[in-house]
Each structure stands twice: as structure tokens, then as C-alpha cells.
Amino acid sequence: MVTVKGYIDEILYFDENTGFSILRVTTEDGSETCVGNAKGFSAGESVEMDGEYVEHYIYGKELKFTAIRFVAPSDRVSVIRYLGSGAIKGLGEKMAVRIVDKFGDDTFRIIEEEPERLAEIKGISAAKAREITNQLAAKREQRDAMIYLQKFGLSQVLADRIYEKYGQEMYGILKNNPYRLAEEVPAVGFKKADAIAFKAGIPADSEYRIHCGLLYLLGQLAADGHCYYPAGKLCEKAAEMLGIGQMQIEECLPDLAMQQKITLKNGENDSRVYIKSYYQAEEYCARRLLELRDGFRGKAVSEETLRQVEASLGITLDTLQRRAVCTCMESGVFLLSGGPGTGKTTTINAIITCMEKEERAFVLAAPTGRAAKRMKETTGYEAQTIHRLLEIGGEVSSEDRDNTFFGKNESEPLEADCVIVDEASMVDIHLLKALLAAISTGTQLILVGDVDQLPSVGPGQVLKDLLSCEAFPTMLLQRIFRQSDESHIIEYAHKINHGEQIDLSKKYADFFLLEKEAPEVICSYLVQLMGDVIPRKLGLSGGDIQVLTPMRKGMLGVEGLNAVLQERLNPQDGSKAECSYGDTVFREGDRIMQIRNDYELEWEVIGKHQVAVESGKGIFNGDVGTVQEISNYLKLMKVLFDDGKTVYYEFQALDELELAYAVTIHKSQGSEYPVVIVPVLSGPRMLLTRNLLYTAVTRAKQCVILIGSGKMVQQMIDTDHVQHRYTSLKERILECAGY
């Protein structure tokens, strides 16, 4: 760490949103380029900066500073330079010279303590004198705040957000209740607020700390899929996390309920604790689903119509498929489930054909871009993501999904007679709520999915709860139409799902195991398969081959594999620009994935002649693309997503991305790839399960390659453990229906 002193000669680049700046700074030794967050600083100001020198591959040596401080000018030249730099609106260099000539070394004291005396100078009115003083005071307050916030180990960006949010009120908040930051300032979170509170001397058993800790813990549990958590287990976890007695925590639950931040409900053996919006979401979904069920009046499908549908599609429906079509056309809410190859797509196409015959308008949607693209390919009709269908356009926080703004809602419902949603197992409770809000009574809702796939990444297990409540017409397709001689993928997927062992001694063209016992050897084979063997033999590109792994950590987890695969498949050769965020290096040509929903991120679809033919907002968790261009000067990274959207990411926002040569099986839901490679060797028992392997296998269209231990594959098939999720949508539906 070095400290550099000088004055800002010129601001070469400044980003108003992030504060990122490129400065030309004059020091005693000459001129230097300095990069970092310099929001609130102006040309002409004297500063001190702490940082490290780095070598930019284009611009050469520059100081990357992590802290910057204002230094009050102490001599005539510095005072004139500062006052005349434009930092103070209404003052130029000539007026600065007059002020210094009049007051000399007493200039800053006069401005701060006797501002009215500035009016003694020709050209400065009493009003202008007050304005000059107010500007200097505001700058001083901001700088003092930044210095104060740095004591708590906060980044410049975060310190700036806190000051913008609270201004001078921040001192009282940090002293009395820094946990407010976790609830009110994005990117702070409980852990950071807790660290600030510790430095501020807040007691460990403070009610503020307990309240914030409980909300944080509920948020973490929601990230694991829970809509509520038993009070006893929650308090036990909170006591362990906070290091205080469980009784104190239990006493705080009614207070949080009174503040309407949580909802408490009696369960069978224990009270249930919900984040309020989650309880409201389940309650709303239950009511609306029943309203859609009871508010629809459909017509029976005749045998003649079914024959016409079969002739039109060139197919023959089996008994269950026929029953599914007939039941669906008469139902306000219809659920269609089944494994791979059981005819879900054929059945949906038959339903769509019936809709057309009745001249009923329908829309198709899926939770992810890849799933929507596949739906369009299999039906021949336009399909889009649910977010896009609902016209997403606002912000959302993980704590309160009700802050999301959708253009389509109860006031502006979808203009359709039927809404068909594929990959419904991926729909979480908040997305279901948003969808139901946009469907008016009298419109059909058809949910299609495989209940044996992994549940949604977000809270809830919507499809499973709806199927198990038996309140809606349902059809479970079980006959496998694509036979084993055509697809070992389908045959083995069903065997895995039923807990039957598969013959790994045989190597089929579309399904085989490479028995390897060492992680290093597995990594080596992965590189060969992706970089040479598969592209050469099957004529596929890198984006058509996906490594799916059960875990994030370890050599065969996402983080370890991506580092190895990037280095071997897309090495730095001197021609590719790259940038770093944390421990991740992003390089032009890299495969990347968006890892959280960003409803404000702007995108464009670029057509011929590099002209945007479409634009919008929103890039979502699981979207995959390729890094096309990196500008270290502008601090921007251009990404082309697989669905054609182009997005420019500021370097400050790269925490939303990660490398995607390998992704977790959970993140692959809703996607299909020509070739899937699954390393299977060892890992946490809770991750090495049957339905995880089943989900991975069903992501492949042409070929599945398992690489690792055949014994571990067999153990996964035998492990029928599914992580329990605390949800109550089923109960809410049964209550509302009066069952």
C-alpha cells in the first residue's frame, strides 16, 4: 500500500452511478494516472490517496486507489487553484485571485465563519457569498462522512450509498442502530451491519441485532427454498448464529410480528414464522387459483375434433393424452406432468390445435430464456419468459418481492384466453403470484412440468404442492413414447428416477461412463472432451457442451472447474482483453452466467448494420452468454446472451456474473444442451442424490457423459433423499376451498 499526495489536475472519466473515476493527478514527482472511486471530488482539489500501482496492458502504470482524502489547501497557489477550479459554482480563477488577495491565509476561515464578508469583494453579492459558503460546507460534510465511514472498513461505493441515503443523519444511525443499514441500504446485509455495530459498541443482545439477525436468517432459509420455518428451529439457529440465549430470541418474535415484518401462524407442533410477503404470496396464490378454476366455463371436446387434431398434427394420441386434452379444454386450471419422452410436448401441441379450432387466443411462457426458446422450437409458436410476458419494469429486493413492478397485473391483465407455462417446477411462489395477478378470471392456466425435477431456485415448491393438493384437474403421463433403442438417455433417466440401477459397463453413443478416480485426471479428460474430442466428432461448438456438477466447492465444483476450463479452453494469448472482479478473471470469449435477477439491466437485440431492433430491461438468474468485448478504459464488459440480448456491464456490477464452462445442476434447470458432461466422484451427501442425477441427465438432447466413479453413480441412484421445504401453499388452497 502506498500513499500519494497531489492535486487533481483533470478528471478524465467519471461515472455518476458508481463514482468510478480516472484522474490525472499532479504530484511533486510529476503527473500520474489514478483510478478509483472519487465521487464528490473535483479538479483543482488537493488529495491524498492510498492504493497500489498496477500495470495496465494499454495505458501502462497507474495508481489503483482504495481510499481518497481531501487535503485543505495551505498556500496561496493551492487556495487559488482550488477556488478557481470550478469546484465551487460561480467562482472562476479571476474571482479566486481577488478573494485570496483580500483575505490571504485567512481565506477559508472567512468563508466558513464570516461568509458575509465575501460581499466586500466587487462582483460577489450577499446571496452569492452564502451560496459559496453552503457549497464548501456541503463538500466538507461529505468528505468528513466518507472519512468517518472508512473507519468501519466500508468500501468507497458503499460509504457513498450510505451518505446519499441518510446524509448527516447517518452518525446517529451508526451510533444507535446500524442494523437499519441492512434493511434500507442495498448490498449492506446483516453481516456487514453486524461488523459495524461491533465497532460502534452495540451490545450483542441488542433487540435491533436480534431483529435484524432473524430477518437475515429467514432470508437465508428462503434462499434454500423455504416459505416459512418452525419457530423453535429458527430460534435455535439464530441463537447459534448470534451467540446469545434462545429465550431472548423467542421474546423478539412478537415484536417483529407487531412491526409487520413477519407473520406468525400456528402449525401442527410449532409456530410458523414467515417473512410477511411470503405468507401473503401463498395466501394470494391459493385464492386466485381457485377463482380461475371456478370461474371458467369450457366446452367438451368431441371425438370428431380429436380426430381432426390428430390428422392435422400427423399423430395418434394415446388414451391418457386424449383424456388430458379433453380435461384441459374444460378446466380453468390444468396440470400436466410427466418425465422425458412421455408425450408432454405432443399433448400440448394437441391442446394448442384445439385452441386454434375454437379461435381462442393463447400465450406460451417459461421461467427461463432457454426454456422459452425450446418451447418455441417444439410448438412452432412464439414463447417468452414469464418476466417478459408480464412486462417486468421495476426494482425488487430479496426481502420484499412485492416491490416488483410488472406492466401486466390485476389492473392491466394479459389479453389471452389461455396461458400455457412450461417447466412449471421452476416457478417459485413470488413468480406464481405475479403471473396469477395478470390472469383475469375466465382465462385458462395450464402448467406443464416434471415434478421429479429439482424444485425452483426461489422459495416454494409450486408444482409439487399443486399436484399433491388434488384440488385441480391433473394428468400424469407415464408411457414412454421414445423407446430405449432410440434414446438411452430417456431409458436411463426413467430408471434413475425409479431408483433402478443402470448398466454402466456398456458404452452407448448417447450415454456412457468414463471410470476415473482422481480429480486431476477428471479435469484433464474434461478439457480434452470439450476442447477437441466432442467438437471434432460431433461438429459442436463450445456453447453446445455443458459441464454440470452437483456442487460449488472443491476441484470438481463450479469454482474449481471453471478456473481450469477457462485456462485450458480460453487462455490468455495476448490478443484478448480481460478484467478481474474479486477472485474471478473475465476474458473475451469466456462463457458466463447471470447469477441473480437484475430487473433494471438494459439490453438490446442488435440486427443488421449494428442497429438495435429491440430493447428492454431485465436479465435473469441462469441466463448464459459469451463475453464479446472488454474495455478497461471505459470499465465496461459487453456480453452477448444466448437469446440474442446484448448487455454492457459496468465493472462494478460484475458480481452478478460468474464463469459458466461448468454450472451447478440446479442452475441448469429449464435448459437443454446437445451434450452434458457430469463429473461424479465425491462431495456432500446431501447433494449426491437421485433427483439431482435425474435432473442432470434430462438436460441432454444428444449425449450424456458421466466421468468419475461408477460406484458413486450407483450410490446417487440409491439415495432417494430430497431436501424438505417448508411450504404451505397446499394447506392454503385446501383452507380456501373448504376441504
Side-chain angles (χ1 to χ4, degrees), residues 339-369:
T342 55
K344 294 193 301 296
T345 298
T346 299
T347 306
I348 287 300
N349 285 334
I351 291 169
I352 288 172
T353 305
C354 282
M355 296 273 179
E356 288 183 313
K357 287 186 176 296
E358 294 186 6
E359 297 184 345
R360 302 185 63 227
F362 57 88
V363 293
L364 309 180
T368 68

mmCIF file of all heavy atoms in Angstrom, residues 339-369:
data_model
loop_
_atom_site.group_PDB
_atom_site.id
_atom_site.type_symbol
_atom_site.label_atom_id
_atom_site.label_comp_id
_atom_site.label_asym_id
_atom_site.label_seq_id
_atom_site.Cartn_x
_atom_site.Cartn_y
_atom_site.Cartn_z
ATOM 1 N N GLY A 339 -42.386 -37.426 -17.113
ATOM 2 C CA GLY A 339 -40.949 -37.425 -17.333
ATOM 3 C C GLY A 339 -40.602 -37.229 -18.793
ATOM 4 O O GLY A 339 -41.479 -37.034 -19.644
ATOM 5 N N PRO A 340 -39.316 -37.312 -19.147
ATOM 6 C CA PRO A 340 -38.885 -37.132 -20.534
ATOM 7 C C PRO A 340 -39.414 -38.249 -21.422
ATOM 8 O O PRO A 340 -39.484 -39.407 -21.017
ATOM 9 C CB PRO A 340 -37.351 -37.188 -20.434
ATOM 10 C CG PRO A 340 -37.071 -37.957 -19.181
ATOM 11 C CD PRO A 340 -38.164 -37.597 -18.245
ATOM 12 N N GLY A 341 -39.840 -37.878 -22.635
ATOM 13 C CA GLY A 341 -40.300 -38.875 -23.593
ATOM 14 C C GLY A 341 -41.698 -39.396 -23.366
ATOM 15 O O GLY A 341 -42.130 -40.338 -24.032
ATOM 16 N N THR A 342 -42.460 -38.816 -22.426
ATOM 17 C CA THR A 342 -43.803 -39.328 -22.121
ATOM 18 C C THR A 342 -44.900 -38.601 -22.902
ATOM 19 O O THR A 342 -46.085 -38.864 -22.680
ATOM 20 C CB THR A 342 -44.102 -39.205 -20.611
ATOM 21 O OG1 THR A 342 -43.927 -37.845 -20.199
ATOM 22 C CG2 THR A 342 -43.170 -40.098 -19.812
ATOM 23 N N GLY A 343 -44.523 -37.685 -23.789
ATOM 24 C CA GLY A 343 -45.520 -37.071 -24.664
ATOM 25 C C GLY A 343 -46.115 -35.769 -24.174
ATOM 26 O O GLY A 343 -47.206 -35.381 -24.625
ATOM 27 N N LYS A 344 -45.429 -35.053 -23.281
ATOM 28 C CA LYS A 344 -45.963 -33.760 -22.814
ATOM 29 C C LYS A 344 -46.061 -32.764 -23.976
ATOM 30 O O LYS A 344 -47.068 -32.079 -24.131
ATOM 31 C CB LYS A 344 -45.072 -33.171 -21.704
ATOM 32 C CG LYS A 344 -45.053 -33.962 -20.416
ATOM 33 C CD LYS A 344 -44.412 -33.182 -19.270
ATOM 34 C CE LYS A 344 -42.975 -32.774 -19.549
ATOM 35 N NZ LYS A 344 -42.056 -33.930 -19.690
ATOM 36 N N THR A 345 -45.000 -32.704 -24.791
ATOM 37 C CA THR A 345 -44.992 -31.755 -25.900
ATOM 38 C C THR A 345 -46.082 -32.086 -26.915
ATOM 39 O O THR A 345 -46.795 -31.193 -27.396
ATOM 40 C CB THR A 345 -43.616 -31.747 -26.598
ATOM 41 O OG1 THR A 345 -42.628 -31.324 -25.665
ATOM 42 C CG2 THR A 345 -43.623 -30.807 -27.784
ATOM 43 N N THR A 346 -46.248 -33.373 -27.230
ATOM 44 C CA THR A 346 -47.301 -33.787 -28.166
ATOM 45 C C THR A 346 -48.671 -33.402 -27.631
ATOM 46 O O THR A 346 -49.538 -32.906 -28.370
ATOM 47 C CB THR A 346 -47.236 -35.313 -28.388
ATOM 48 O OG1 THR A 346 -45.965 -35.646 -28.943
ATOM 49 C CG2 THR A 346 -48.339 -35.770 -29.336
ATOM 50 N N THR A 347 -48.869 -33.607 -26.342
ATOM 51 C CA THR A 347 -50.156 -33.271 -25.726
ATOM 52 C C THR A 347 -50.408 -31.766 -25.771
ATOM 53 O O THR A 347 -51.527 -31.318 -26.087
ATOM 54 C CB THR A 347 -50.193 -33.773 -24.270
ATOM 55 O OG1 THR A 347 -49.888 -35.166 -24.242
ATOM 56 C CG2 THR A 347 -51.554 -33.538 -23.642
ATOM 57 N N ILE A 348 -49.380 -30.982 -25.480
ATOM 58 C CA ILE A 348 -49.527 -29.526 -25.529
ATOM 59 C C ILE A 348 -49.833 -29.070 -26.952
ATOM 60 O O ILE A 348 -50.684 -28.194 -27.173
ATOM 61 C CB ILE A 348 -48.252 -28.838 -24.993
ATOM 62 C CG1 ILE A 348 -48.185 -28.987 -23.478
ATOM 63 C CG2 ILE A 348 -48.220 -27.355 -25.365
ATOM 64 C CD1 ILE A 348 -49.353 -28.371 -22.728
ATOM 65 N N ASN A 349 -49.159 -29.663 -27.940
ATOM 66 C CA ASN A 349 -49.438 -29.294 -29.331
ATOM 67 C C ASN A 349 -50.873 -29.627 -29.717
ATOM 68 O O ASN A 349 -51.519 -28.880 -30.469
ATOM 69 C CB ASN A 349 -48.455 -29.999 -30.269
ATOM 70 C CG ASN A 349 -47.078 -29.372 -30.230
ATOM 71 O OD1 ASN A 349 -46.932 -28.187 -29.919
ATOM 72 N ND2 ASN A 349 -46.052 -30.146 -30.538
ATOM 73 N N ALA A 350 -51.390 -30.730 -29.188
ATOM 74 C CA ALA A 350 -52.788 -31.092 -29.457
ATOM 75 C C ALA A 350 -53.735 -30.084 -28.803
ATOM 76 O O ALA A 350 -54.746 -29.683 -29.400
ATOM 77 C CB ALA A 350 -53.070 -32.507 -28.944
ATOM 78 N N ILE A 351 -53.411 -29.664 -27.576
ATOM 79 C CA ILE A 351 -54.233 -28.655 -26.884
ATOM 80 C C ILE A 351 -54.214 -27.343 -27.656
ATOM 81 O O ILE A 351 -55.254 -26.689 -27.836
ATOM 82 C CB ILE A 351 -53.721 -28.467 -25.442
ATOM 83 C CG1 ILE A 351 -54.007 -29.723 -24.611
ATOM 84 C CG2 ILE A 351 -54.351 -27.235 -24.798
ATOM 85 C CD1 ILE A 351 -53.314 -29.744 -23.258
ATOM 86 N N ILE A 352 -53.035 -26.943 -28.132
ATOM 87 C CA ILE A 352 -52.919 -25.704 -28.900
ATOM 88 C C ILE A 352 -53.755 -25.778 -30.174
ATOM 89 O O ILE A 352 -54.444 -24.814 -30.552
ATOM 90 C CB ILE A 352 -51.437 -25.424 -29.237
ATOM 91 C CG1 ILE A 352 -50.682 -25.001 -27.974
ATOM 92 C CG2 ILE A 352 -51.313 -24.345 -30.303
ATOM 93 C CD1 ILE A 352 -49.175 -24.877 -28.166
ATOM 94 N N THR A 353 -53.728 -26.929 -30.840
ATOM 95 C CA THR A 353 -54.522 -27.094 -32.058
ATOM 96 C C THR A 353 -56.011 -26.978 -31.766
ATOM 97 O O THR A 353 -56.771 -26.369 -32.539
ATOM 98 C CB THR A 353 -54.211 -28.455 -32.713
ATOM 99 O OG1 THR A 353 -52.803 -28.561 -32.945
ATOM 100 C CG2 THR A 353 -54.937 -28.603 -34.045
ATOM 101 N N CYS A 354 -56.446 -27.543 -30.630
ATOM 102 C CA CYS A 354 -57.847 -27.382 -30.214
ATOM 103 C C CYS A 354 -58.185 -25.915 -29.974
ATOM 104 O O CYS A 354 -59.270 -25.444 -30.347
ATOM 105 C CB CYS A 354 -58.112 -28.188 -28.946
ATOM 106 S SG CYS A 354 -58.321 -29.958 -29.209
ATOM 107 N N MET A 355 -57.257 -25.205 -29.333
ATOM 108 C CA MET A 355 -57.468 -23.771 -29.082
ATOM 109 C C MET A 355 -57.670 -23.023 -30.402
ATOM 110 O O MET A 355 -58.547 -22.151 -30.523
ATOM 111 C CB MET A 355 -56.250 -23.186 -28.352
ATOM 112 C CG MET A 355 -55.997 -23.754 -26.980
ATOM 113 S SD MET A 355 -56.912 -22.906 -25.710
ATOM 114 C CE MET A 355 -56.377 -23.858 -24.278
ATOM 115 N N GLU A 356 -56.838 -23.357 -31.380
ATOM 116 C CA GLU A 356 -56.948 -22.676 -32.669
ATOM 117 C C GLU A 356 -58.285 -22.963 -33.336
ATOM 118 O O GLU A 356 -58.890 -22.080 -33.946
ATOM 119 C CB GLU A 356 -55.799 -23.112 -33.581
ATOM 120 C CG GLU A 356 -54.448 -22.549 -33.154
ATOM 121 C CD GLU A 356 -53.348 -22.927 -34.118
ATOM 122 O OE1 GLU A 356 -53.273 -24.117 -34.481
ATOM 123 O OE2 GLU A 356 -52.574 -22.032 -34.513
ATOM 124 N N LYS A 357 -58.738 -24.210 -33.238
ATOM 125 C CA LYS A 357 -60.022 -24.570 -33.838
ATOM 126 C C LYS A 357 -61.164 -23.778 -33.201
ATOM 127 O O LYS A 357 -62.155 -23.457 -33.857
ATOM 128 C CB LYS A 357 -60.265 -26.071 -33.706
ATOM 129 C CG LYS A 357 -59.396 -26.914 -34.646
ATOM 130 C CD LYS A 357 -59.775 -28.371 -34.576
ATOM 131 C CE LYS A 357 -58.971 -29.173 -35.604
ATOM 132 N NZ LYS A 357 -59.295 -28.761 -36.993
ATOM 133 N N GLU A 358 -61.018 -23.496 -31.896
ATOM 134 C CA GLU A 358 -62.046 -22.715 -31.200
ATOM 135 C C GLU A 358 -61.773 -21.213 -31.276
ATOM 136 O O GLU A 358 -62.484 -20.414 -30.666
ATOM 137 C CB GLU A 358 -62.117 -23.150 -29.735
ATOM 138 C CG GLU A 358 -62.614 -24.574 -29.538
ATOM 139 C CD GLU A 358 -62.808 -24.913 -28.066
ATOM 140 O OE1 GLU A 358 -62.654 -24.002 -27.215
ATOM 141 O OE2 GLU A 358 -63.124 -26.078 -27.766
ATOM 142 N N GLU A 359 -60.710 -20.847 -32.016
ATOM 143 C CA GLU A 359 -60.312 -19.440 -32.190
ATOM 144 C C GLU A 359 -60.095 -18.755 -30.846
ATOM 145 O O GLU A 359 -60.531 -17.620 -30.613
ATOM 146 C CB GLU A 359 -61.357 -18.684 -33.018
ATOM 147 C CG GLU A 359 -61.494 -19.233 -34.430
ATOM 148 C CD GLU A 359 -62.461 -18.416 -35.270
ATOM 149 O OE1 GLU A 359 -63.227 -17.610 -34.687
ATOM 150 O OE2 GLU A 359 -62.455 -18.588 -36.496
ATOM 151 N N ARG A 360 -59.391 -19.465 -29.973
ATOM 152 C CA ARG A 360 -59.081 -18.927 -28.658
ATOM 153 C C ARG A 360 -57.626 -18.465 -28.637
ATOM 154 O O ARG A 360 -56.715 -19.194 -29.052
ATOM 155 C CB ARG A 360 -59.337 -19.974 -27.566
ATOM 156 C CG ARG A 360 -60.773 -20.468 -27.561
ATOM 157 C CD ARG A 360 -61.047 -21.417 -26.415
ATOM 158 N NE ARG A 360 -60.884 -20.740 -25.141
ATOM 159 C CZ ARG A 360 -60.205 -21.239 -24.111
ATOM 160 N NH1 ARG A 360 -59.616 -22.411 -24.227
ATOM 161 N NH2 ARG A 360 -60.117 -20.585 -22.989
ATOM 162 N N ALA A 361 -57.395 -17.266 -28.147
ATOM 163 C CA ALA A 361 -56.042 -16.700 -28.101
ATOM 164 C C ALA A 361 -55.268 -17.303 -26.933
ATOM 165 O O ALA A 361 -55.790 -17.420 -25.823
ATOM 166 C CB ALA A 361 -56.119 -15.180 -27.937
ATOM 167 N N PHE A 362 -54.026 -17.684 -27.200
ATOM 168 C CA PHE A 362 -53.201 -18.277 -26.144
ATOM 169 C C PHE A 362 -51.800 -17.653 -26.189
ATOM 170 O O PHE A 362 -51.345 -17.144 -27.216
ATOM 171 C CB PHE A 362 -53.105 -19.793 -26.310
ATOM 172 C CG PHE A 362 -52.555 -20.228 -27.644
ATOM 173 C CD1 PHE A 362 -51.185 -20.373 -27.843
ATOM 174 C CD2 PHE A 362 -53.419 -20.484 -28.712
ATOM 175 C CE1 PHE A 362 -50.684 -20.762 -29.070
ATOM 176 C CE2 PHE A 362 -52.924 -20.870 -29.947
ATOM 177 C CZ PHE A 362 -51.549 -21.009 -30.126
ATOM 178 N N VAL A 363 -51.123 -17.711 -25.042
ATOM 179 C CA VAL A 363 -49.731 -17.266 -24.957
ATOM 180 C C VAL A 363 -48.917 -18.375 -24.307
ATOM 181 O O VAL A 363 -49.413 -19.110 -23.451
ATOM 182 C CB VAL A 363 -49.572 -15.950 -24.158
ATOM 183 C CG1 VAL A 363 -50.204 -14.792 -24.897
ATOM 184 C CG2 VAL A 363 -50.150 -16.075 -22.757
ATOM 185 N N LEU A 364 -47.646 -18.498 -24.717
ATOM 186 C CA LEU A 364 -46.750 -19.522 -24.195
ATOM 187 C C LEU A 364 -45.620 -18.858 -23.428
ATOM 188 O O LEU A 364 -45.065 -17.842 -23.877
ATOM 189 C CB LEU A 364 -46.166 -20.354 -25.333
ATOM 190 C CG LEU A 364 -47.140 -20.954 -26.352
ATOM 191 C CD1 LEU A 364 -46.382 -21.749 -27.404
ATOM 192 C CD2 LEU A 364 -48.172 -21.839 -25.663
ATOM 193 N N ALA A 365 -45.262 -19.441 -22.292
ATOM 194 C CA ALA A 365 -44.198 -18.848 -21.470
ATOM 195 C C ALA A 365 -43.461 -19.931 -20.695
ATOM 196 O O ALA A 365 -43.960 -21.048 -20.514
ATOM 197 C CB ALA A 365 -44.779 -17.812 -20.500
ATOM 198 N N ALA A 366 -42.271 -19.578 -20.241
ATOM 199 C CA ALA A 366 -41.443 -20.465 -19.417
ATOM 200 C C ALA A 366 -40.607 -19.601 -18.483
ATOM 201 O O ALA A 366 -40.418 -18.408 -18.739
ATOM 202 C CB ALA A 366 -40.552 -21.340 -20.303
ATOM 203 N N PRO A 367 -40.079 -20.181 -17.403
ATOM 204 C CA PRO A 367 -39.341 -19.368 -16.423
ATOM 205 C C PRO A 367 -38.015 -18.804 -16.931
ATOM 206 O O PRO A 367 -37.566 -17.779 -16.447
ATOM 207 C CB PRO A 367 -39.104 -20.347 -15.260
ATOM 208 C CG PRO A 367 -40.126 -21.413 -15.438
ATOM 209 C CD PRO A 367 -40.310 -21.544 -16.909
ATOM 210 N N THR A 368 -37.348 -19.483 -17.885
ATOM 211 C CA THR A 368 -36.045 -19.028 -18.349
ATOM 212 C C THR A 368 -36.043 -18.822 -19.853
ATOM 213 O O THR A 368 -36.896 -19.357 -20.578
ATOM 214 C CB THR A 368 -34.939 -20.046 -18.008
ATOM 215 O OG1 THR A 368 -35.155 -21.240 -18.794
ATOM 216 C CG2 THR A 368 -34.944 -20.393 -16.525
ATOM 217 N N GLY A 369 -35.040 -18.065 -20.321
ATOM 218 C CA GLY A 369 -34.914 -17.809 -21.745
ATOM 219 C C GLY A 369 -34.668 -19.078 -22.542
ATOM 220 O O GLY A 369 -35.241 -19.271 -23.624
#
